[in-house]
Amino acid sequence: MISDDKISEVRERAGILEVVADYVRLRKSGANYQGLCPFHGEKTPSFNVNPARGIFHCFGCGVAGTSSPSS
């Protein structure tokens, strides 16, 4: 099992935007970045990343997550 300390270290070193951008083509839209959701097929972007808050959310399928250790 991976220790909580190691998970925290990875979260501190790798921002959510950089990690998601390795898998999804993102385009800036206001304070957020948008792209096609990697969790379901879609033709118009509904997947959003907010780097300031450390969260992502797909308004199409409802998948969401955070880079903060409390969630």
Short mmCIF file of all heavy atoms in Angstrom, two decimals:
data_model
loop_
_atom_site.label_atom_id
_atom_site.label_comp_id
_atom_site.label_asym_id
_atom_site.label_seq_id
_atom_site.Cartn_x
_atom_site.Cartn_y
_atom_site.Cartn_z
N MET A 1 0.84 -1.19 0.00
CA MET A 1 0.00 0.00 0.00
C MET A 1 0.88 1.25 0.00
O MET A 1 1.94 1.27 0.59
CB MET A 1 -0.90 -0.01 1.23
CG MET A 1 -1.91 1.08 1.19
SD MET A 1 -3.28 0.75 2.28
CE MET A 1 -3.12 2.09 3.40
N ILE A 2 0.42 2.28 -0.67
CA ILE A 2 1.17 3.54 -0.74
C ILE A 2 0.84 4.38 0.49
O ILE A 2 -0.32 4.56 0.84
CB ILE A 2 0.81 4.31 -2.02
CG1 ILE A 2 1.12 3.45 -3.25
CG2 ILE A 2 1.55 5.63 -2.08
CD1 ILE A 2 0.63 4.04 -4.54
N SER A 3 1.87 4.90 1.11
CA SER A 3 1.67 5.67 2.35
C SER A 3 1.00 7.01 2.05
O SER A 3 1.12 7.56 0.95
CB SER A 3 3.01 5.91 3.05
OG SER A 3 3.77 6.85 2.31
N ASP A 4 0.29 7.53 3.04
CA ASP A 4 -0.36 8.83 2.93
C ASP A 4 0.66 9.94 2.68
O ASP A 4 0.39 10.90 1.96
CB ASP A 4 -1.18 9.15 4.18
CG ASP A 4 -2.42 8.28 4.30
OD1 ASP A 4 -2.85 7.71 3.26
OD2 ASP A 4 -2.96 8.18 5.41
N ASP A 5 1.85 9.80 3.28
CA ASP A 5 2.90 10.80 3.07
C ASP A 5 3.33 10.85 1.61
O ASP A 5 3.54 11.93 1.05
CB ASP A 5 4.13 10.49 3.95
CG ASP A 5 3.86 10.75 5.42
OD1 ASP A 5 2.90 11.50 5.73
OD2 ASP A 5 4.61 10.20 6.25
N LYS A 6 3.47 9.69 0.98
CA LYS A 6 3.88 9.63 -0.43
C LYS A 6 2.78 10.20 -1.33
O LYS A 6 3.07 10.95 -2.27
CB LYS A 6 4.19 8.18 -0.82
CG LYS A 6 4.74 8.04 -2.22
CD LYS A 6 5.98 8.86 -2.49
CE LYS A 6 7.20 8.25 -1.90
NZ LYS A 6 8.43 8.99 -2.23
N ILE A 7 1.52 9.91 -1.02
CA ILE A 7 0.40 10.46 -1.80
C ILE A 7 0.39 11.99 -1.68
O ILE A 7 0.22 12.69 -2.68
CB ILE A 7 -0.93 9.85 -1.34
CG1 ILE A 7 -0.97 8.37 -1.73
CG2 ILE A 7 -2.12 10.59 -1.95
CD1 ILE A 7 -2.13 7.60 -1.15
N SER A 8 0.58 12.51 -0.49
CA SER A 8 0.63 13.96 -0.29
C SER A 8 1.78 14.59 -1.06
O SER A 8 1.63 15.66 -1.65
CB SER A 8 0.76 14.29 1.20
OG SER A 8 -0.39 13.91 1.89
N GLU A 9 2.92 13.92 -1.08
CA GLU A 9 4.08 14.44 -1.80
C GLU A 9 3.79 14.53 -3.31
O GLU A 9 4.11 15.54 -3.95
CB GLU A 9 5.28 13.53 -1.57
CG GLU A 9 6.53 13.97 -2.30
CD GLU A 9 7.68 13.00 -2.12
OE1 GLU A 9 7.64 12.14 -1.22
OE2 GLU A 9 8.64 13.12 -2.90
N VAL A 10 3.15 13.52 -3.86
CA VAL A 10 2.82 13.53 -5.29
C VAL A 10 1.84 14.66 -5.59
O VAL A 10 1.98 15.39 -6.57
CB VAL A 10 2.26 12.17 -5.74
CG1 VAL A 10 1.68 12.25 -7.14
CG2 VAL A 10 3.34 11.10 -5.66
N ARG A 11 0.84 14.82 -4.73
CA ARG A 11 -0.15 15.89 -4.93
C ARG A 11 0.49 17.27 -4.89
O ARG A 11 0.09 18.17 -5.62
CB ARG A 11 -1.24 15.79 -3.87
CG ARG A 11 -2.21 14.69 -4.14
CD ARG A 11 -3.35 14.72 -3.14
NE ARG A 11 -4.36 13.75 -3.51
CZ ARG A 11 -4.93 12.92 -2.67
NH1 ARG A 11 -4.60 12.93 -1.40
NH2 ARG A 11 -5.84 12.08 -3.10
N GLU A 12 1.48 17.45 -4.04
CA GLU A 12 2.16 18.74 -3.94
C GLU A 12 3.04 19.01 -5.15
O GLU A 12 3.15 20.15 -5.59
CB GLU A 12 3.02 18.78 -2.67
CG GLU A 12 2.21 18.87 -1.40
CD GLU A 12 3.07 18.75 -0.15
OE1 GLU A 12 4.32 18.83 -0.26
OE2 GLU A 12 2.51 18.55 0.93
N ARG A 13 3.65 17.99 -5.69
CA ARG A 13 4.60 18.16 -6.79
C ARG A 13 3.93 18.24 -8.16
O ARG A 13 4.46 18.88 -9.06
CB ARG A 13 5.60 17.02 -6.81
CG ARG A 13 6.57 17.09 -5.66
CD ARG A 13 7.56 15.96 -5.75
NE ARG A 13 8.50 16.02 -4.66
CZ ARG A 13 9.77 15.68 -4.78
NH1 ARG A 13 10.23 15.25 -5.93
NH2 ARG A 13 10.56 15.76 -3.76
N ALA A 14 2.82 17.56 -8.34
CA ALA A 14 2.17 17.51 -9.66
C ALA A 14 0.80 18.18 -9.56
O ALA A 14 -0.10 17.67 -8.90
CB ALA A 14 2.01 16.07 -10.11
N GLY A 15 0.65 19.32 -10.23
CA GLY A 15 -0.63 20.01 -10.24
C GLY A 15 -1.66 19.24 -11.05
O GLY A 15 -1.32 18.54 -12.00
N ILE A 16 -2.91 19.38 -10.67
CA ILE A 16 -3.98 18.65 -11.34
C ILE A 16 -4.06 18.98 -12.82
O ILE A 16 -4.32 18.11 -13.66
CB ILE A 16 -5.34 18.88 -10.63
CG1 ILE A 16 -6.38 17.88 -11.13
CG2 ILE A 16 -5.80 20.31 -10.79
CD1 ILE A 16 -7.63 17.83 -10.30
N LEU A 17 -3.80 20.23 -13.19
CA LEU A 17 -3.86 20.62 -14.59
C LEU A 17 -2.81 19.88 -15.41
O LEU A 17 -3.11 19.36 -16.50
CB LEU A 17 -3.67 22.13 -14.72
CG LEU A 17 -3.77 22.69 -16.14
CD1 LEU A 17 -5.16 22.43 -16.72
CD2 LEU A 17 -3.48 24.17 -16.13
N GLU A 18 -1.59 19.79 -14.92
CA GLU A 18 -0.53 19.10 -15.63
C GLU A 18 -0.83 17.62 -15.79
O GLU A 18 -0.59 17.03 -16.84
CB GLU A 18 0.82 19.29 -14.93
CG GLU A 18 1.35 20.71 -15.00
CD GLU A 18 0.69 21.66 -14.00
OE1 GLU A 18 0.09 21.20 -13.01
OE2 GLU A 18 0.76 22.87 -14.25
N VAL A 19 -1.36 17.01 -14.75
CA VAL A 19 -1.67 15.57 -14.80
C VAL A 19 -2.79 15.30 -15.80
O VAL A 19 -2.68 14.44 -16.67
CB VAL A 19 -2.04 15.03 -13.40
CG1 VAL A 19 -2.52 13.60 -13.48
CG2 VAL A 19 -0.84 15.14 -12.46
N VAL A 20 -3.88 16.04 -15.70
CA VAL A 20 -5.02 15.83 -16.60
C VAL A 20 -4.61 16.13 -18.05
O VAL A 20 -5.00 15.42 -18.97
CB VAL A 20 -6.23 16.68 -16.18
CG1 VAL A 20 -7.35 16.59 -17.20
CG2 VAL A 20 -6.74 16.22 -14.81
N ALA A 21 -3.80 17.17 -18.25
CA ALA A 21 -3.39 17.56 -19.60
C ALA A 21 -2.55 16.48 -20.29
O ALA A 21 -2.44 16.48 -21.51
CB ALA A 21 -2.65 18.89 -19.57
N ASP A 22 -1.99 15.56 -19.53
CA ASP A 22 -1.27 14.43 -20.13
C ASP A 22 -2.23 13.46 -20.82
O ASP A 22 -1.81 12.66 -21.64
CB ASP A 22 -0.47 13.67 -19.07
CG ASP A 22 0.82 14.37 -18.69
OD1 ASP A 22 1.24 15.31 -19.41
OD2 ASP A 22 1.41 13.97 -17.68
N TYR A 23 -3.52 13.52 -20.47
CA TYR A 23 -4.51 12.57 -21.00
C TYR A 23 -5.63 13.22 -21.80
O TYR A 23 -6.29 12.56 -22.59
CB TYR A 23 -5.14 11.79 -19.84
CG TYR A 23 -4.11 11.02 -19.06
CD1 TYR A 23 -3.52 11.55 -17.92
CD2 TYR A 23 -3.69 9.77 -19.48
CE1 TYR A 23 -2.56 10.85 -17.22
CE2 TYR A 23 -2.73 9.05 -18.79
CZ TYR A 23 -2.17 9.61 -17.65
OH TYR A 23 -1.21 8.92 -16.97
N VAL A 24 -5.86 14.52 -21.57
CA VAL A 24 -6.98 15.21 -22.20
C VAL A 24 -6.47 16.51 -22.82
O VAL A 24 -5.73 17.25 -22.17
CB VAL A 24 -8.08 15.54 -21.15
CG1 VAL A 24 -9.22 16.32 -21.77
CG2 VAL A 24 -8.58 14.29 -20.48
N ARG A 25 -6.87 16.80 -24.04
CA ARG A 25 -6.53 18.08 -24.65
C ARG A 25 -7.44 19.14 -24.02
O ARG A 25 -8.66 19.07 -24.15
CB ARG A 25 -6.76 18.02 -26.15
CG ARG A 25 -6.52 19.37 -26.81
CD ARG A 25 -6.88 19.33 -28.25
NE ARG A 25 -5.65 19.21 -29.00
CZ ARG A 25 -5.57 18.86 -30.26
NH1 ARG A 25 -6.65 18.54 -30.92
NH2 ARG A 25 -4.42 18.81 -30.87
N LEU A 26 -6.84 20.10 -23.34
CA LEU A 26 -7.59 21.12 -22.62
C LEU A 26 -7.44 22.48 -23.27
O LEU A 26 -6.38 22.80 -23.83
CB LEU A 26 -7.13 21.19 -21.16
CG LEU A 26 -7.35 19.94 -20.32
CD1 LEU A 26 -6.65 20.08 -18.98
CD2 LEU A 26 -8.83 19.67 -20.14
N ARG A 27 -8.50 23.28 -23.16
CA ARG A 27 -8.49 24.64 -23.67
C ARG A 27 -8.99 25.57 -22.57
O ARG A 27 -9.97 25.27 -21.89
CB ARG A 27 -9.42 24.72 -24.87
CG ARG A 27 -9.39 26.04 -25.58
CD ARG A 27 -10.22 25.97 -26.83
NE ARG A 27 -11.54 25.41 -26.48
CZ ARG A 27 -12.69 25.82 -26.97
NH1 ARG A 27 -12.70 26.77 -27.88
NH2 ARG A 27 -13.82 25.29 -26.61
N LYS A 28 -8.30 26.68 -22.38
CA LYS A 28 -8.67 27.62 -21.32
C LYS A 28 -10.03 28.24 -21.62
O LYS A 28 -10.33 28.62 -22.74
CB LYS A 28 -7.63 28.72 -21.19
CG LYS A 28 -7.88 29.62 -19.99
CD LYS A 28 -6.59 30.20 -19.50
CE LYS A 28 -6.77 31.16 -18.35
NZ LYS A 28 -7.38 30.61 -17.17
N SER A 29 -10.87 28.30 -20.58
CA SER A 29 -12.19 28.90 -20.67
C SER A 29 -12.47 29.62 -19.36
O SER A 29 -12.91 29.00 -18.38
CB SER A 29 -13.24 27.82 -20.94
OG SER A 29 -14.53 28.38 -20.96
N GLY A 30 -12.17 30.90 -19.30
CA GLY A 30 -12.30 31.64 -18.04
C GLY A 30 -11.26 31.16 -17.05
O GLY A 30 -10.09 31.04 -17.38
N ALA A 31 -11.69 30.84 -15.83
CA ALA A 31 -10.78 30.34 -14.81
C ALA A 31 -10.54 28.84 -14.95
O ALA A 31 -9.66 28.28 -14.31
CB ALA A 31 -11.34 30.64 -13.42
N ASN A 32 -11.34 28.17 -15.79
CA ASN A 32 -11.27 26.73 -15.95
C ASN A 32 -10.61 26.34 -17.27
O ASN A 32 -10.34 27.17 -18.12
CB ASN A 32 -12.68 26.12 -15.91
CG ASN A 32 -13.36 26.33 -14.59
OD1 ASN A 32 -12.72 26.34 -13.55
ND2 ASN A 32 -14.67 26.49 -14.62
N TYR A 33 -10.42 25.05 -17.42
CA TYR A 33 -9.96 24.46 -18.67
C TYR A 33 -10.99 23.40 -19.05
O TYR A 33 -11.50 22.68 -18.19
CB TYR A 33 -8.58 23.82 -18.50
CG TYR A 33 -7.49 24.84 -18.32
CD1 TYR A 33 -7.28 25.45 -17.08
CD2 TYR A 33 -6.69 25.22 -19.38
CE1 TYR A 33 -6.28 26.40 -16.92
CE2 TYR A 33 -5.69 26.17 -19.23
CZ TYR A 33 -5.50 26.75 -17.99
OH TYR A 33 -4.52 27.70 -17.84
N GLN A 34 -11.31 23.32 -20.34
CA GLN A 34 -12.32 22.38 -20.82
C GLN A 34 -11.72 21.42 -21.83
O GLN A 34 -10.80 21.76 -22.56
CB GLN A 34 -13.47 23.11 -21.50
CG GLN A 34 -14.33 23.91 -20.57
CD GLN A 34 -15.49 24.55 -21.32
OE1 GLN A 34 -15.39 24.87 -22.50
NE2 GLN A 34 -16.59 24.72 -20.63
N GLY A 35 -12.32 20.23 -21.88
CA GLY A 35 -11.92 19.24 -22.87
C GLY A 35 -12.95 18.14 -22.95
O GLY A 35 -13.96 18.15 -22.23
N LEU A 36 -12.69 17.19 -23.85
CA LEU A 36 -13.58 16.04 -23.98
C LEU A 36 -13.32 15.09 -22.82
O LEU A 36 -12.17 14.80 -22.48
CB LEU A 36 -13.34 15.33 -25.31
CG LEU A 36 -13.63 16.15 -26.56
CD1 LEU A 36 -13.28 15.35 -27.81
CD2 LEU A 36 -15.08 16.60 -26.61
N CYS A 37 -14.38 14.59 -22.23
CA CYS A 37 -14.26 13.72 -21.06
C CYS A 37 -13.58 12.40 -21.42
O CYS A 37 -13.98 11.74 -22.38
CB CYS A 37 -15.65 13.44 -20.48
SG CYS A 37 -15.61 12.40 -19.01
N PRO A 38 -12.59 11.99 -20.63
CA PRO A 38 -11.92 10.71 -20.89
C PRO A 38 -12.72 9.51 -20.35
O PRO A 38 -12.34 8.38 -20.60
CB PRO A 38 -10.59 10.86 -20.14
CG PRO A 38 -10.92 11.77 -19.00
CD PRO A 38 -11.95 12.74 -19.55
N PHE A 39 -13.81 9.77 -19.65
CA PHE A 39 -14.57 8.69 -19.02
C PHE A 39 -15.79 8.25 -19.82
O PHE A 39 -16.38 7.23 -19.52
CB PHE A 39 -15.01 9.11 -17.61
CG PHE A 39 -13.84 9.47 -16.73
CD1 PHE A 39 -13.58 10.78 -16.39
CD2 PHE A 39 -12.98 8.49 -16.25
CE1 PHE A 39 -12.50 11.12 -15.59
CE2 PHE A 39 -11.90 8.80 -15.46
CZ PHE A 39 -11.65 10.13 -15.12
N HIS A 40 -16.17 9.03 -20.82
CA HIS A 40 -17.26 8.63 -21.71
C HIS A 40 -17.08 9.33 -23.06
O HIS A 40 -16.38 10.33 -23.16
CB HIS A 40 -18.64 8.96 -21.09
CG HIS A 40 -19.04 10.40 -21.15
ND1 HIS A 40 -18.54 11.37 -20.29
CD2 HIS A 40 -19.86 11.07 -22.00
CE1 HIS A 40 -19.07 12.54 -20.58
NE2 HIS A 40 -19.87 12.40 -21.63
N GLY A 41 -17.69 8.78 -24.08
CA GLY A 41 -17.57 9.36 -25.41
C GLY A 41 -18.45 10.58 -25.55
O GLY A 41 -19.62 10.55 -25.16
N GLU A 42 -17.92 11.64 -26.08
CA GLU A 42 -18.71 12.85 -26.31
C GLU A 42 -18.11 13.64 -27.46
O GLU A 42 -16.95 13.45 -27.82
CB GLU A 42 -18.79 13.72 -25.05
CG GLU A 42 -17.47 14.26 -24.55
CD GLU A 42 -17.62 15.07 -23.28
OE1 GLU A 42 -18.72 15.17 -22.73
OE2 GLU A 42 -16.61 15.62 -22.84
N LYS A 43 -18.93 14.50 -28.06
CA LYS A 43 -18.48 15.28 -29.20
C LYS A 43 -18.24 16.74 -28.84
O LYS A 43 -17.52 17.45 -29.53
CB LYS A 43 -19.50 15.20 -30.33
CG LYS A 43 -19.59 13.80 -30.90
CD LYS A 43 -20.55 13.73 -32.04
CE LYS A 43 -20.59 12.31 -32.56
NZ LYS A 43 -21.50 12.13 -33.67
N THR A 44 -18.86 17.22 -27.75
CA THR A 44 -18.63 18.59 -27.30
C THR A 44 -18.07 18.54 -25.87
O THR A 44 -18.50 17.71 -25.06
CB THR A 44 -19.93 19.42 -27.32
OG1 THR A 44 -20.90 18.79 -26.50
CG2 THR A 44 -20.46 19.56 -28.73
N PRO A 45 -17.12 19.40 -25.55
CA PRO A 45 -16.46 19.35 -24.24
C PRO A 45 -17.41 19.63 -23.07
O PRO A 45 -18.14 20.61 -23.07
CB PRO A 45 -15.41 20.46 -24.32
CG PRO A 45 -15.26 20.77 -25.76
CD PRO A 45 -16.56 20.43 -26.41
N SER A 46 -17.41 18.71 -22.11
CA SER A 46 -18.16 18.94 -20.87
C SER A 46 -17.29 18.65 -19.65
O SER A 46 -17.76 18.71 -18.53
CB SER A 46 -19.41 18.05 -20.84
OG SER A 46 -19.06 16.68 -20.82
N PHE A 47 -16.03 18.34 -19.89
CA PHE A 47 -15.08 18.02 -18.83
C PHE A 47 -14.33 19.29 -18.45
O PHE A 47 -13.75 19.96 -19.31
CB PHE A 47 -14.10 16.95 -19.32
CG PHE A 47 -13.15 16.45 -18.27
CD1 PHE A 47 -13.57 15.52 -17.34
CD2 PHE A 47 -11.85 16.88 -18.23
CE1 PHE A 47 -12.70 15.04 -16.38
CE2 PHE A 47 -10.97 16.42 -17.28
CZ PHE A 47 -11.40 15.49 -16.35
N ASN A 48 -14.37 19.67 -17.18
CA ASN A 48 -13.76 20.91 -16.71
C ASN A 48 -12.73 20.64 -15.62
O ASN A 48 -12.94 19.79 -14.76
CB ASN A 48 -14.84 21.83 -16.12
CG ASN A 48 -15.68 22.45 -17.20
OD1 ASN A 48 -15.39 23.55 -17.63
ND2 ASN A 48 -16.72 21.75 -17.63
N VAL A 49 -11.65 21.41 -15.67
CA VAL A 49 -10.60 21.36 -14.64
C VAL A 49 -10.43 22.77 -14.10
O VAL A 49 -10.31 23.73 -14.87
CB VAL A 49 -9.26 20.87 -15.22
CG1 VAL A 49 -8.19 20.87 -14.15
CG2 VAL A 49 -9.41 19.49 -15.84
N ASN A 50 -10.45 22.89 -12.79
CA ASN A 50 -10.21 24.17 -12.13
C ASN A 50 -8.92 24.03 -11.33
O ASN A 50 -8.94 23.47 -10.23
CB ASN A 50 -11.38 24.56 -11.23
CG ASN A 50 -11.19 25.93 -10.61
OD1 ASN A 50 -10.15 26.24 -10.07
ND2 ASN A 50 -12.23 26.74 -10.68
N PRO A 51 -7.79 24.50 -11.87
CA PRO A 51 -6.52 24.30 -11.18
C PRO A 51 -6.42 25.06 -9.86
O PRO A 51 -5.75 24.59 -8.93
CB PRO A 51 -5.48 24.79 -12.18
CG PRO A 51 -6.21 25.62 -13.16
CD PRO A 51 -7.62 25.17 -13.16
N ALA A 52 -7.06 26.21 -9.73
CA ALA A 52 -7.00 26.98 -8.49
C ALA A 52 -7.64 26.22 -7.34
O ALA A 52 -7.17 26.28 -6.20
CB ALA A 52 -7.68 28.33 -8.67
N ARG A 53 -8.70 25.50 -7.63
CA ARG A 53 -9.39 24.71 -6.59
C ARG A 53 -8.92 23.27 -6.55
O ARG A 53 -9.28 22.53 -5.64
CB ARG A 53 -10.90 24.77 -6.83
CG ARG A 53 -11.44 26.19 -6.64
CD ARG A 53 -12.92 26.30 -6.91
NE ARG A 53 -13.69 25.42 -6.06
CZ ARG A 53 -14.95 25.08 -6.30
NH1 ARG A 53 -15.57 25.57 -7.36
NH2 ARG A 53 -15.59 24.28 -5.48
N GLY A 54 -8.15 22.85 -7.56
CA GLY A 54 -7.63 21.48 -7.58
C GLY A 54 -8.71 20.44 -7.84
O GLY A 54 -8.66 19.36 -7.27
N ILE A 55 -9.69 20.77 -8.69
CA ILE A 55 -10.80 19.84 -8.94
C ILE A 55 -11.02 19.63 -10.43
O ILE A 55 -10.61 20.44 -11.26
CB ILE A 55 -12.11 20.34 -8.32
CG1 ILE A 55 -12.51 21.70 -8.89
CG2 ILE A 55 -12.01 20.41 -6.79
CD1 ILE A 55 -13.90 22.19 -8.47
N PHE A 56 -11.69 18.52 -10.75
CA PHE A 56 -12.19 18.30 -12.10
C PHE A 56 -13.62 17.80 -12.00
O PHE A 56 -14.01 17.22 -10.99
CB PHE A 56 -11.31 17.32 -12.90
CG PHE A 56 -11.35 15.90 -12.40
CD1 PHE A 56 -12.33 15.02 -12.84
CD2 PHE A 56 -10.39 15.44 -11.52
CE1 PHE A 56 -12.35 13.70 -12.39
CE2 PHE A 56 -10.40 14.13 -11.07
CZ PHE A 56 -11.38 13.26 -11.51
N HIS A 57 -14.41 18.05 -13.05
CA HIS A 57 -15.80 17.62 -13.06
C HIS A 57 -16.28 17.51 -14.50
O HIS A 57 -15.99 18.38 -15.32
CB HIS A 57 -16.69 18.62 -12.32
CG HIS A 57 -18.14 18.24 -12.31
ND1 HIS A 57 -18.64 17.32 -11.43
CD2 HIS A 57 -19.17 18.62 -13.09
CE1 HIS A 57 -19.93 17.17 -11.66
NE2 HIS A 57 -20.28 17.95 -12.67
N CYS A 58 -16.99 16.43 -14.79
CA CYS A 58 -17.61 16.29 -16.10
C CYS A 58 -19.11 16.53 -15.93
O CYS A 58 -19.77 15.81 -15.17
CB CYS A 58 -17.38 14.90 -16.70
SG CYS A 58 -18.26 14.70 -18.27
N PHE A 59 -19.62 17.52 -16.63
CA PHE A 59 -21.04 17.84 -16.54
C PHE A 59 -21.88 16.88 -17.38
O PHE A 59 -23.10 16.87 -17.27
CB PHE A 59 -21.28 19.29 -16.96
CG PHE A 59 -20.71 20.26 -15.97
CD1 PHE A 59 -19.46 20.83 -16.18
CD2 PHE A 59 -21.40 20.60 -14.81
CE1 PHE A 59 -18.92 21.72 -15.26
CE2 PHE A 59 -20.87 21.48 -13.89
CZ PHE A 59 -19.63 22.04 -14.11
N GLY A 60 -21.24 16.04 -18.19
CA GLY A 60 -21.96 15.06 -18.99
C GLY A 60 -22.25 13.78 -18.23
O GLY A 60 -23.39 13.31 -18.18
N CYS A 61 -21.21 13.20 -17.60
CA CYS A 61 -21.40 11.92 -16.91
C CYS A 61 -21.35 12.03 -15.39
O CYS A 61 -21.64 11.07 -14.69
CB CYS A 61 -20.37 10.90 -17.40
SG CYS A 61 -18.65 11.23 -16.93
N GLY A 62 -20.94 13.19 -14.88
CA GLY A 62 -20.96 13.42 -13.44
C GLY A 62 -19.70 13.01 -12.70
O GLY A 62 -19.60 13.18 -11.48
N VAL A 63 -18.71 12.46 -13.38
CA VAL A 63 -17.47 12.08 -12.72
C VAL A 63 -16.77 13.33 -12.23
O VAL A 63 -16.71 14.34 -12.93
CB VAL A 63 -16.57 11.29 -13.69
CG1 VAL A 63 -15.20 11.04 -13.07
CG2 VAL A 63 -17.20 9.98 -14.07
N ALA A 64 -16.25 13.26 -11.01
CA ALA A 64 -15.57 14.41 -10.42
C ALA A 64 -14.46 13.92 -9.51
O ALA A 64 -14.47 12.78 -9.06
CB ALA A 64 -16.55 15.28 -9.65
N GLY A 65 -13.51 14.80 -9.24
CA GLY A 65 -12.44 14.45 -8.35
C GLY A 65 -11.68 15.68 -7.91
O GLY A 65 -11.93 16.78 -8.37
N THR A 66 -10.73 15.45 -7.03
CA THR A 66 -9.97 16.54 -6.46
C THR A 66 -8.54 16.10 -6.23
O THR A 66 -8.25 14.90 -6.16
CB THR A 66 -10.61 16.99 -5.13
OG1 THR A 66 -9.83 18.04 -4.59
CG2 THR A 66 -10.70 15.87 -4.12
N SER A 67 -7.67 17.05 -6.14
CA SER A 67 -6.28 16.75 -5.81
C SER A 67 -5.99 16.99 -4.34
O SER A 67 -4.89 16.78 -3.89
CB SER A 67 -5.33 17.58 -6.68
OG SER A 67 -5.46 18.94 -6.38
N SER A 68 -7.01 17.43 -3.61
CA SER A 68 -6.79 17.69 -2.18
C SER A 68 -6.91 16.40 -1.39
O SER A 68 -7.71 15.54 -1.70
CB SER A 68 -7.79 18.71 -1.65
OG SER A 68 -9.08 18.16 -1.61
N PRO A 69 -6.08 16.23 -0.37
CA PRO A 69 -6.06 14.99 0.40
C PRO A 69 -7.33 14.72 1.19
O PRO A 69 -7.58 13.59 1.56
CB PRO A 69 -4.88 15.17 1.34
CG PRO A 69 -4.46 16.57 1.25
CD PRO A 69 -5.10 17.18 0.06
N SER A 70 -8.17 15.71 1.42
CA SER A 70 -9.35 15.49 2.25
C SER A 70 -10.50 14.84 1.49
O SER A 70 -11.46 14.42 2.08
CB SER A 70 -9.83 16.82 2.85
OG SER A 70 -10.16 17.71 1.81
N SER A 71 -10.43 14.75 0.16
CA SER A 71 -11.52 14.18 -0.62
C SER A 71 -11.14 12.89 -1.28
O SER A 71 -10.09 12.57 -1.59
CB SER A 71 -11.99 15.15 -1.67
OG SER A 71 -12.50 16.30 -1.07
#
